[in-house]
Amino acid sequence: MSSITIRNLGDTVKQNLRVRAALHGRSMEEEARTVLRNAVAQDALSGAVLLQRIRDRFAALGDVDLPQPPREAMREPPDLSTDLAP
């Protein structure tokens, strides 16, 4: 497990964390871990939700089929066996 130190936390934030921890029957440290864990999980979820919302919004337009350009024959690779030095 890793640990972090949070400096310059405002008194109001600390007091609110203390009250919140008491309401949930947890220590301030456990409450802070829970808050951080939930915030990070929500950020990860919001990316997936955003992607789904974008897909839903454009689903009615259907797929976009772009024309495939014709393939050309591959060119011959350069001959590297010759020495270019004078």
Side-chain angles (χ1 to χ4, degrees):
M1 288 278 176
S2 298
S3 62
I4 63 171
T5 301
I6 302 174
R7 294 185 188 359
N8 300 323
L9 190 63
D11 293 334
T12 304
V13 173
K14 183 178 177 183
Q15 183 60 33
N16 289 343
L17 183 62
R18 183 184 315 269
V19 169
R20 183 179 168 127
L23 289 172
H24 294 128
R26 298 189 269 248
S27 67
M28 283 181 56
E29 186 176 347
E30 181 58 33
E31 186 66 22
R33 277 194 296 268
T34 301
V35 168
L36 289 171
R37 200 177 299 119
N38 291 341
V40 170
Q42 185 177 1
D43 284 349
L45 180 61
S46 67
V49 171
L50 176 62
L51 178 61
Q52 188 57 49
R53 289 181 66 195
I54 291 171
R55 284 182 178 157
D56 292 345
R57 179 156 196 167
F58 291 101
L61 299 176
D63 289 334
V64 176
D65 292 322
L66 298 175
Q68 292 289 325
R71 293 192 174 249
E72 299 174 0
M74 288 182 56
R75 64 184 174 104
E76 289 295 317
D79 182 12
L80 301 176
S81 64
T82 59
D83 188 14
L84 298 178

